[in-house]
Amino acid sequence: MTTLSIPELSLVCLVGVSGSGKSTFARAHFGRFEVLSSDFCRGLVADDENDQSATAAAFDVLHHIAGVRLAGGRLTVVDATNTQSQARKSLIELARAHDVLPVAIVLDVPEKVCLARNADRADRDFGAPVIRRQSDQLRRSLRSLRKEGFRTVHVLRGEEEIADAVIVRDKLLNDFRDDHGPFDVIGDVHGCRRELETLLTRLDYTLVHDAEGRAIDAVPPAGRTAVFVGDLVDRGPDAPGVLRLVMGMAAAGHARAVPGNHENKLVRALRGRDVQRTHGLAETLDQLGEQPPEFVADVERFCDGLVSHLVLDDGKLVVAHAGLKEDYHGRASGRVRSFALYGDTTGETDEYGLPVRYPWAEEYRGRAMVLYGHTPIPKPQWINNTMCLDTGCVFGGSLTALRYPEKELVSVPAERVWYEPVRPLSPEATRRGDELAITDVTGRRGVETRLAGRVTVREENAAGALEVMSRFALDPRWLMYLPPTMAPCATAPTGDLLEHPTAAFDAYRSAGVDRVICEEKHMGSRAVVLLCRDAQVAHTRFDATPGSGGAVWTRTGRSFFGGALTEEFLGRLRGAAESAGLWADADWLLFDAEILPWSAKADELLRQQYAAVGAAGRASTPAAADVLAAVAARGVDVGDLLGRATARAHNVEAFTAAYRRYVWPTAGLTGVEIAPFQLLASGPAEGEGRTWADHDHAWHLDVADRLAAADAFVRRTGRLVVDVNDPDSCGAGVAWWEELTGAGGEGMVVKPLANGAVGRRVQPGIKVRGREYLRIIYGPDYTEPGNLERLRQRGLGRKQSLALREYALGIEALERVARGEPLWRVHEAVFAVLALESEPTDPRL
């Protein structure tokens, strides 16, 4: 048996004369979709697998498909003769373009066997000269395959060896996805042994010393593993001591490491290469010169064996010395290694003569967390799910580690300045990692959510949302949430009501939800309020402009008030939060709320739409009724017309009264109220926050009650818990709704008492609006029997689907905020909510 090892991710080129059995070999050892056949591609483009005139087009198709597969991280096998160097060259270039390893598997079968096999195939009409030419090309190729660029070459000689071959797929050297940690990722050490020992001790590692008192290992706590980002050597006082400790930890399975550019240069120097002994290399070589030769040999082997980068924890964590953009994760090529060691530069130099690093992290959009070093900074900061951990210990800064997955930073200060830096540590401190790109939101997109899976946003909807978001919305740093739409209850089948609580209770009962909470529905304007403890918190956490203490925004992300009034509003609510004790465990709070009255925000809408309809109706319908009454007095039968005119006059009065209930004068904050009904999220000024969707709605309303008790500016929300399986409890819910609507209230919202009950089939909330309120929505005459019958045919499916998707996106955005994910990830979900609002649905629902 002959075992052929190939990398799990590679481009495998089968090389062999026509008739050597390549297609049979491919079918036996690779998956159906892994193999790309040149014959099959000829058939695709010319309807004939043997049409040699279609060869160029066929290989265009083959190369394109192979490129798509390799870009997706899939092993790809090319089944073609590949006996010509030019054909192999294009495949090697394709592998390099996608940073995968090219592998050649040669099937070296006697020429007479290939001739006999082709003679037996009716579909092969080329003669022996073609086979002999290919065979000659193969003989000459065997000597040059490795020089051409194939990383691995397997040659199977004869039919028996081919039949006995077994393919083994090896993980790439950088693939540690099955190692789930937890990890302690440590920044550039640069020979600072004492600081490293102090840091490991701070991380609860137990140092192990040899007979001479030298640290040779550090045993981690609770199965943790240390991961070093490279640059262990140079500039510092004890590079051998650092190497001895890290090598011992690695040998014991207590640590992993990636190479830094300084290790790479050290290996070349130890091998006698001509390298410049600058940037601390001379000091390291002098220090190693005092060590035994066998130790120096171990150092060379260790540093040379380090892999460019590590992919850990199912691909969620990537460690590379200079960082690594997403396209290079889990790939293997000289280009990938170079980027991992040195990063990328703009081609410019700064005022200190040092290369200007290209800010790859600011453009990073990958899901994996990337931890790196290489460029010293005074203080680590998250930039799009990446963090540099080189805090310049050797330059008098500190040595820093990040606990993963906890995302906790641990640092120890340098004992002294061991090496004067050419460039101060401050320039990198002003880097920004919260810049958005238009490509984050344009085109057809899918947003992955925990609650609803993948939510699709159509390109045309994204375009509409981009117009609103870019022209009218607040700074995206504030906008961590947009409220979802809400579906009404199923339409009542009979009577003079369009909506009734029984339908909401029935819907939740059928979905398996036993207990619901009915919340008073305030007729105001939906608002989200981000309240910071003070302006410093707003600046630290949200990069707010000086003097700003938070934000208040509408369902479309627009600022609810003007600047000065916003701060006055937030100041009032901040005082209530202080009195209610809400600052005990948080520096910022995010509320979902209604701001009353409706006219405070919708005054223009009221004037132009509702008041205009009411005024026109009051002017025309009584006059029409008077004329018809006079005609009837003369004995003309106009009873039906008069009845309709009288009813319309009554309906117009009812319509006017309905919207006027939600209008009262305001001046500044005088007359304005806020009715919060959910604490969405909160958090510290620095670090991660948390969401509160795991707390039931009664808890959220209790928090709101504490605010209402502290300041009358906060309106309390009435509520009632209903057991949908208890007729008496349901009856109490109906009676409460009738009381609310009978007193002129809008109605109520019915929600699962437990937030966690929401799922793919369970609505997050169902609104049940009162008969008179619906006049505002459907018009003065909607209660007329004919109109009601038409309205009973309204379809709710699209609205219900929209409500579920927008709710899932809202929760996803909040959870991304809580996890400390980069701004573009949060904004992706928030933007999708606004985009979905462009979907065609009946706005009256």
Side-chain angles (χ1 to χ4, degrees), residues 94-170:
L94 183 64
R96 288 173 175 167
H98 293 280
D99 301 292
V100 302
L101 300 175
V103 175
I105 299 179
V106 181
L107 275 60
D108 187 6
V109 176
E111 185 179 301
K112 62 180 180 180
V113 174
C114 296
L115 286 169
R117 288 176 177 174
N118 280 283
D120 290 339
R121 293 181 58 176
D123 60 341
R124 295 294 171 92
D125 57 0
F126 48 81
V130 173
I131 302 300
R132 294 193 182 98
R133 184 173 65 252
Q134 292 177 354
S135 181
D136 181 63
Q137 291 169 344
L138 179 63
R139 291 287 169 273
R140 286 186 277 109
S141 298
L142 290 175
R143 297 188 298 269
S144 61
L145 291 174
R146 289 190 182 277
K147 293 180 180 178
E148 290 176 7
F150 285 102
R151 186 66 62 90
T152 302
V153 178
H154 296 294
V155 181
L156 298 173
R157 302 185 187 277
E159 297 174 81
E160 185 176 341
E161 195 168 316
I162 292 171
D164 291 340
V166 174
I167 300 290
V168 175
R169 304 188 186 198
D170 295 330

Side-chain angles (χ1 to χ4, degrees), residues 34 73 191 383 456 539 541 548 563 627 661 716 759:
E34 290 179 329
I383 299 179
T456 300
H539 177 71
R541 176 60 181 81
S548 178
V627 169
R661 292 188 181 98
R716 184 179 183 276

Side-chain angles (χ1 to χ4, degrees), residues 742-764:
E746 178 182 346
M748 68 185 186
V749 175
V750 184
K751 303 176 181 177
L753 179 61
N755 271 337
V758 177
R760 291 179 182 267
R761 292 179 54 249
V762 183
Q763 289 289 322

Side-chain angles (χ1 to χ4, degrees), residues 592-616:
D592 202 351
E594 288 277 335
I595 293 180
L596 299 90
W598 188 24
S599 54
K601 188 63 180 174
D603 184 66
E604 196 67 22
L605 175 69
L606 281 164
R607 292 178 183 277
Q608 293 185 1
Q609 183 168 320
Y610 300 106
V613 171

Side-chain angles (χ1 to χ4, degrees), residues 445-458:
R445 305 183 63 82
V447 182
E448 295 294 337
T449 67
R450 178 177 61 84
L451 293 178
R454 187 177 181 85
V455 176
T456 300
V457 178
R458 295 200 295 263

